[in-house]
Amino acid sequence: MASASQKSETKTSTVLSVDPSDTFRTLHSLEGHKKSICSLKFSGDGKLLASASADSTVKIWNFKEGTLVKTLSGIHEAGINDISWGKKTSKFLCSASDDNTIVVWNVEEGKVLRRLKGHTKPVFSACFNKSETLIVSGGCDFIIRVWSVRPGKIFKQIPGHTKQITAVDFNNDGKLIVSGSFDGLCRIWETETGNLLRTIGQDNNFPVYNVKFVPNEKYVLCGTLDGKVCLWDFRKLKLEAYFKGHKSSKYCASISIWPIREKQRVVSGSEDGCAYMWNASRNATLVSKLQHSGSSCRLYL
C-alpha cells in the first residue's frame, strides 16, 4: 500500500506493507516532487508505483527499492489530479490535469503517445479499460467522456451530472462505467451506448468524492462528504454496508477494496491524516488505523 497527504507542504509518499495481523510497517519514503502529491497508483503487474503532483509531473518509482526510475514532464501546463495505468502491463499510463487535458504516456520510453483535448475545464479523474483501448474521464465541466485511445478521439460524451465529476471507473470487462459527483449521485452507465442504467442517491445527498467498482462486479464503493463509505449492490440498488469513523467533509480522499490473503478489506483515506481499514462485511468492523503526516491522507493499493 502507498499513501500520501494533500497538505501543501507534504511532497513525500510512503510505501507500506501489512503483515498477517494487519500491522503496517514502512518500507520506503519516496521524495522528489516539488508540490503536493495528488495521486498514487501501482502498475498492473505490481512492479512500479506512479505518483502525480500539483507540480505538473508524474514520477515512476521502483517502490521495492525506494528509487526513482524516471520523471514524465514537460507536457502538462497545470497540476495533475489523477493517473491510471494500463491494465495489462506497466507500459502505458494516462494523466488527468487542471489544464483540461489527458496525456497518454509510453512509460517505458518516457514519451507522449496522445494528448486528449475535449474537456473545457479541469479533468479530475481518468481510467483505462482492461484492454487499454478506451479511457473514461470526468471533471469540472460535468461531462463524462469516453476516449478511443489509438486515434485519440472522443468515442462517447455523456452529460451525466449537474456538478463536477469527482471519480470515474470501468468495471472488469469495460462494459460499465461508474461515476460520482458533487451533485450527490453515483451513476452506472453502459459504455457502448452511454445509456444510464442505475442511479444511487438523491439530489439532496452529500457530495460524492470517490467511487469504485468492486472486483466481483456486484458492488460499488461510494464515498461521501458526510464521513461515510458505502458498499452498494448497484443492480438491486441495495445498501449492503457502510463504513464510518474517518473524516471526510472537504477533500476527495481515496477508497478501495483490498484483498489480504483470504480476507476482504475496505480502506479509505481521511482528513485527520489517517488511513482506515474495515472488514468488508455487514458488521463493518474497524480493523486498523494508520497515521500519516499531514492532512487528507490518500492511499493506493
Side-chain angles (χ1 to χ4, degrees), residues 138-296:
C140 294
D141 60 7
F142 312 165
I143 296 175
I144 300 164
R145 288 176 171 84
V146 184
W147 307 80
S148 182
V149 175
R150 185 175 293 275
K153 303 294 183 181
I154 295 172
F155 168 71
K156 192 72 62 178
Q157 293 192 110
I158 307 170
H161 292 277
T162 58
K163 292 185 179 180
Q164 58 262 46
I165 297 165
T166 53
V168 290
D169 190 27
F170 280 111
N171 72 335
N172 282 340
D173 63 13
K175 294 181 179 180
L176 300 178
I177 294 166
V178 62
S179 61
S181 168
F182 268 25
D183 62 14
L185 303 178
C186 169
R187 285 181 158 160
I188 311 295
W189 310 87
E190 187 177 52
T191 302
E192 182 67 27
T193 64
N195 290 340
L196 176 63
L197 302 179
R198 298 285 191 279
T199 296
I200 298 170
Q202 300 176 342
D203 291 335
N204 60 351
N205 280 14
F206 282 86
V208 176
Y209 65 80
N210 212 330
V211 291
K212 189 173 291 291
F213 278 108
V214 175
N216 68 5
E217 303 286 293
K218 186 177 180 181
Y219 303 109
V220 293
L221 279 175
C222 178
T224 50
L225 292 182
D226 58 349
K228 292 181 181 177
V229 175
C230 296
L231 183 67
W232 286 90
D233 183 328
F234 66 88
R235 300 185 191 278
K236 297 179 180 179
L237 294 179
K238 179 182 178 183
L239 177 62
E240 292 289 341
Y242 71 91
F243 310 88
K244 60 182 181 178
H246 66 299
K247 295 181 180 181
S248 58
S249 61
K250 297 179 182 179
Y251 300 107
C252 297
S254 305
I255 56 174
S256 191
I257 285 277
W258 192 7
I260 304 177
R261 292 163 291 279
E262 296 181 355
K263 299 175 289 186
Q264 296 285 327
R265 302 291 195 224
V266 171
V267 291
S268 175
S270 173
E271 288 169 18
D272 61 7
C274 295
Y276 286 75
M277 179 184 295
W278 301 270
N279 281 321
S281 59
R282 287 185 175 87
N283 62 15
T285 305
L286 181 65
V287 174
S288 186
K289 179 180 175 181
L290 171 68
Q291 180 67 48
H292 191 289
S293 61
S295 62
S296 191

Side-chain angles (χ1 to χ4, degrees), residues 55-79:
D55 66 10
S56 307
T57 69
V58 177
K59 291 185 181 293
I60 309 299
W61 307 87
N62 180 327
F63 65 89
K64 294 181 180 179
E65 296 181 1
T67 56
L68 179 65
V69 177
K70 65 182 63 178
T71 298
L72 308 177
S73 63
I75 304 299
H76 282 301
E77 299 164 6

Side-chain angles (χ1 to χ4, degrees), residues 117-128:
K117 297 182 178 181
H119 283 282
T120 58
K121 292 185 178 181
V123 189
F124 204 79
S125 180
C127 182
F128 272 105

